[in-house]
Amino acid sequence: MSANSAAPPAYDSFVKRHIGPSADDVGEMLETVGYQTLDAFIDAVVPEGIRLRKPLAIADGLSERDALDALAATASKNEIFRSYLGMGYADTITPPVVQRNILENPGWYTAYTPYQAEIAQGRLEALLNYQTMIIDLVGLPIANASLLDEGTAAAEAVAMSYAIAGTPGKEVFFVSETCHPQTIDVVETRAKARGITVVVGDHETFRFTSEVFGALISYPATDGAVHDFASFTAAAHGAGAIVTVVADLLALALLTPPGEWGADIVVGNSQRFGVPLGYGGPHAAFFATKDDYKRQIPGRIIGVSRDSHGRPALRMALQTREQHIRREKATSNVCTAQVLLAVIAGMYAVWHGPDGIRAIARKVHGQAMTLATLIEATGAKIVHRVYFDTLRVDVGEGKAADVVERAKALRINLRRLDDACVGIALDETVRDGDLADIARAFGAKAGAATVESDARYAAPFARTTPYLLHPVFSRHHSETEMLRYMRKLEAKDLSLTYSMIPLGSCTMKLNATAEMFPVTWPAFGKLHPFAPEEQALGYAAMFDELRRDLAEITGFADVSLQPNAGSQGEFAGLLVIRRYHESRGDGHRNICLIPQSAHGTNPASAVMAGMKVIVVKTDTHGHMDLADLKAKAEQHKSGLAALMVTYPSTHGVFEAEIREVCAIVHANGGQVYMDGANMNAMVGLSRPGDI
């Protein structure tokens, strides 16, 4: 945020209130280590060769109050229309008791990543609830503790399918064209890097051959259709292929779960279970599979064990692919979970219970049927007869754009599927007046009456098996009971509300309260990620400012804000390096040098990007052995693509010879990827782009 005002008064100093050590604390620490001033200590610890001796060209800071006022002004540039665009995202109602006591509660949002089970029992129980919810709804026995997003989860399913069924000569993966377009894009990008051939087409006409190891289908489809996949799944299994289904969680409250008609893997997004849209994230994806494949599942699984006194205790029961163990042999670089968002989704199910979830699903489906009747009265055609919450409406060739524009005049966003068809995806926030307004965009008379509809399905689509049977989903339906349950779990966790957490990681949650306020502002939280760009000018302004500041801090020409985890940033950066080599006619370069001390996601990301990992020796402090680096860079000169180096290292030390490291790699035709750059550490250090 830019500011031309004078410095804020001392009582409003963000730094004073949020940087823990006082001047006396700093003085005591300096005396202990034998230095007079903090500058003298930094001069002794940080090598001169990597010091940045000039100020950064970024705007002055603001007080909390001024920053919030400025952010509110930015947020006001966003326009919140009623968005019925679908594509895996739906507006939702976050239960107030969950919003106030989970999402807005530092006892939950400042807790450290639950590596240490003994100080994370509350969140582990909440994640176990989430896993149980997923298992019940999708009809498979194993689910992980969440992934990053639906597209990434689908791509992880491709990699897992190949690990199970793929072999040389069996490297084709089929994707139904009825999947969400962004999911198809992510799958294609990930598969190409691994040398997997993706075929996108019509699942009804596709024929499995011996070359196909897996398939991805959508249930319901991106345009709302609900297909019977029983014969498709049988054909896939007959050819030795693994079937992955992208499913809508709320639809599964009414539809036959994929696990019952043969799905091997089910993935999707839990966003519509109480997590604000937030212009696309973050949200918690889900991933479930058969028991036979539990040792190939990505991410973490929370399980129940016994402590030393024989009492029930929770732990991360299965981390078979954790990268610190398997490193370059890992088939996934995911090493975390969207814990806070998964907890919210799980608590949404705890709060509503099976009857509440079913009622919400029936309401949404019934409203879709009502809307279909209203629209058909205008002469338009509802293309699919079996659907859940999304309609594909044929309004006639060349007329779809007009309908979308008429809806926009009513501050409604509809999806233009092609020149003749419009998509409408409803959600739990829809009221009868919204249905009338949508119908008006299609030419219906104002004030059309609600039509009574039977929201039940017939076979083979009707769900017959119960779900959410564990007592936790039936005990907490009054606000006092729910409040006590969440507080009980919170008390079993270590967060900044109890203590400092001196573990150090890219996952530390040191967010000030003022920084968390805007998360639940409707101007940010209710914006659909596929809303027209002119409705998201506030977000665009924030993104532009952040990109400029990060480019200045890092010394690079531009910055991508797309990766939603450090591991995904690694993957994206390595793909950039691969494309760079390809653009120069050096597509054969695929060797990635990685120090022994690097974080385990580094080698996993390199393999995912289609590279071969060569390990460089390091000493006990994490410093690279420069002689070994030089020897291996020269040995693999003809195929060297990149070196991944953490700056500062995972051991907390600076790579004093970083310029020499870069020179060695560049001299042998490779590029340097700096991983894990801590923005706080970057201020005052040589910028990676300059090095």
Side-chain angles (χ1 to χ4, degrees):
M1 302 280 173
S2 59
N4 298 314
S5 58
Y11 67 81
D12 199 20
S13 170
F14 183 90
V15 173
K16 181 179 179 181
R17 294 181 183 276
H18 293 283
I19 303 300
S22 66
D24 290 341
D25 294 331
V26 173
E28 185 176 349
M29 287 186 282
L30 289 172
E31 182 179 357
T32 299
V33 296
Y35 290 91
Q36 294 294 318
T37 66
L38 191 57
D39 285 342
F41 174 69
I42 292 173
D43 286 340
V45 173
V46 182
E48 178 61 31
I50 58 170
R51 294 292 298 278
L52 181 66
R53 295 297 190 179
K54 64 177 182 180
L56 293 169
I58 58 177
D60 294 334
L62 298 176
S63 69
E64 286 188 353
R65 179 181 177 184
D66 289 342
L68 286 171
D69 287 346
L71 191 57
T74 298
S76 69
K77 298 176 183 178
N78 294 329
E79 293 191 82
I80 307 302
F81 283 30
R82 289 170 287 177
S83 288
Y84 308 118
L85 297 164
M87 299 174 72
Y89 299 94
D91 201 1
T92 184
I93 300 170
T94 307
V97 68
V98 174
Q99 177 173 322
R100 178 58 61 94
N101 294 286
I102 299 288
L103 180 55
E104 297 175 347
N105 181 357
W108 287 91
Y109 71 68
T110 69
Y112 185 72
T113 298
Y115 290 136
Q116 295 176 279
E118 66 274 17
I119 60 170
Q121 288 293 294
R123 272 171 305 146
L124 292 180
E125 180 171 331
L127 288 173
L128 186 64
N129 293 343
Y130 175 84
Q131 290 176 183
T132 304
M133 171 188 78
I134 300 300
I135 287 168
D136 285 2
L137 288 172
V138 306
L140 288 171
I142 299 287
N144 70 11
S146 80
L147 291 177
L148 301 170
D149 54 53
E150 181 178 294
T152 301
E156 290 288 334
V158 176
M160 177 172 155
S161 297
Y162 186 78
I164 295 167
T167 59
K170 195 177 181 71
E171 298 173 327
V172 174
F173 189 86
F174 172 75
V175 177
S176 171
E177 61 193 6
T178 66
C179 293
H180 296 310
Q182 73 274 16
T183 300
I184 296 175
D185 286 346
V186 173
V187 167
E188 288 182 321
T189 298
R190 296 294 189 91
K192 182 180 179 181
R194 296 289 296 272
I196 292 170
T197 300
V198 172
V199 175
V200 180
D202 184 349
H203 65 266
E204 293 184 343
T205 60
F206 181 75
R207 296 294 176 261
F208 285 91
T209 67
S210 60
E211 298 175 335
V212 181
F213 70 87
L216 181 72
I217 51 181
S218 189
Y219 183 73
T222 188
D223 67 353
V226 178
H227 298 284
D228 181 357
F229 287 112
S231 60
F232 177 89
T233 302
H237 291 161
I242 301 296
V243 176
T244 297
V245 178
V246 180
D248 182 301
L249 271 188
L250 189 61
L252 298 184
L254 303 181
L255 292 172
T256 304
E260 292 184 11
W261 46 257
D264 301 296
I265 303 169
V266 181
V267 302
N269 188 355
S270 64
Q271 176 268 317
R272 74 183 307 169
F273 273 35
V275 180
L277 283 163
Y279 203 38
H283 305 131
F286 61 86
F287 193 111
T289 191
K290 295 179 176 178
D291 187 70
D292 292 346
Y293 306 141
K294 60 178 174 288
R295 295 197 174 277
Q296 281 81 30
I297 195 170
R300 302 170 178 170
I301 296 178
I302 309 308
V304 181
S305 184
R306 297 281 176 182
D307 66 12
S308 58
H309 301 285
R311 298 171 300 194
L314 302 172
R315 74 214 190 281
M316 287 192 280
L318 194 65
Q319 302 180 75
T320 59
R321 297 199 321 186
E322 279 284 58
Q323 293 74 25
H324 61 268
I325 299 170
R326 298 195 65 184
R327 301 184 70 80
E328 68 270 14
K329 294 182 181 179
T331 52
S332 169
N333 70 344
V334 172
C335 66
T336 188
Q338 290 280 22
V339 175
L340 181 63
L341 292 313
V343 168
I344 292 171
M347 289 300 181
Y348 179 94
V350 170
W351 173 243
H352 288 293
D355 293 339
I357 296 295
R358 187 180 298 106
I360 293 169
R362 283 181 174 168
K363 173 199 170 189
V364 173
H365 182 44
Q367 287 179 324
M369 298 178 75
T370 295
L371 182 60
T373 301
L374 297 176
I375 290 175
E376 283 184 316
T378 69
K381 178 184 177 183
I382 305 300
V383 176
H384 304 301
R385 303 320 302 177
V386 183
Y387 50 80
F388 171 59
D389 64 356
T390 302
L391 304 175
R392 183 185 185 105
V393 185
D394 188 337
V395 293
E397 195 64 34
K399 297 181 180 179
D402 293 338
V403 172
V404 170
E405 286 304 311
R406 287 199 296 271
K408 193 176 292 185
L410 297 169
R411 296 184 67 82
I412 291 173
N413 291 323
L414 301 180
R415 181 182 175 192
R416 181 169 172 264
L417 294 166
D418 56 37
D419 287 344
C421 292
V422 175
I424 313 164
L426 303 183
D427 57 62
E428 68 168 318
T429 70
V430 173
R431 297 182 171 95
D432 290 344
D434 299 319
L435 298 180
D437 287 344
I438 296 170
R440 283 173 56 197
F442 289 85
K445 295 180 181 179
T450 299
V451 178
E452 290 297 326
S453 302
D454 187 345
R456 292 175 296 182
Y457 288 95
F461 302 108
R463 180 170 192 135
T464 58
T465 52
Y467 48 87
L468 304 183
L469 297 181
H470 189 280
V472 74
F473 299 108
S474 302
R475 288 176 175 167
H476 311 296
H477 296 165
S478 75
E479 183 162 317
T480 50
E481 287 295 333
M482 186 70 177
L483 180 64
R484 291 165 187 158
Y485 177 60
M486 291 186 293
R487 289 292 185 179
K488 182 181 75 171
L489 296 190
E490 180 188 342
K492 296 181 180 180
D493 254 83
L494 184 67
S495 71
L496 293 182
T497 61
Y498 294 101
S499 157
M500 183 56 196
I501 309 167
L503 293 174
S505 169
C506 58
T507 58
M508 286 301 289
K509 304 297 188 295
L510 296 174
N511 297 312
T513 303
E515 293 171 320
M516 295 298 293
F517 279 171
V519 171
T520 51
W521 288 355
F524 287 133
K526 290 184 71 66
L527 192 62
H528 193 285
F530 293 105
E533 291 183 6
E534 64 268 19
Q535 295 173 22
L537 297 181
Y539 266 113
M542 280 201 316
F543 296 159
D544 287 343
E545 182 176 4
L546 180 59
R547 284 172 54 211
R548 289 195 304 271
D549 286 349
L550 291 177
E552 171 64 17
I553 292 170
T554 61
F556 286 106
D558 207 344
V559 173
S560 169
L561 303 177
Q562 287 300 305
N564 60 354
S567 58
Q568 308 313 300
E570 294 170 13
F571 177 73
L574 290 169
L575 286 188
V576 169
I577 289 175
R578 288 210 65 180
R579 298 294 184 269
Y580 168 77
H581 288 306
E582 290 170 1
S583 72
R584 294 163 53 88
D586 286 340
H588 64 281
R589 290 186 174 273
N590 69 341
I591 301 296
C592 186
L593 304 178
I594 299 181
Q596 284 177 320
S597 61
H599 191 284
T601 60
N602 286 184
S605 295
V607 171
M608 289 180 62
M611 295 185 178
K612 179 181 178 181
V613 174
I614 302 296
V615 178
V616 178
K617 296 177 182 178
T618 58
D619 63 21
T620 55
H621 297 292
H623 287 296
M624 272 187 287
D625 182 326
L626 293 188
D628 190 54
L629 170 64
K630 187 173 183 180
K632 286 175 177 170
E634 292 176 350
Q635 177 186 352
H636 300 285
K637 182 174 184 177
S638 63
L640 182 60
L643 163 75
M644 295 188 78
V645 57
T646 303
Y647 178 67
S649 81
T650 54
H651 289 64
V653 299
F654 300 102
E655 188 61 66
E657 306 86 358
I658 192 67
R659 294 181 188 277
E660 186 175 352
V661 166
C662 292
I664 291 171
V665 176
H666 290 156
N668 289 280
Q671 300 292 296
V672 177
Y673 180 101
M674 284 192 182
D675 166 57
N678 183 308
M679 287 298 105
N680 291 325
M682 286 295 99
V683 179
L685 294 182
S686 295
R687 304 186 305 175
D690 296 335
I691 294 174

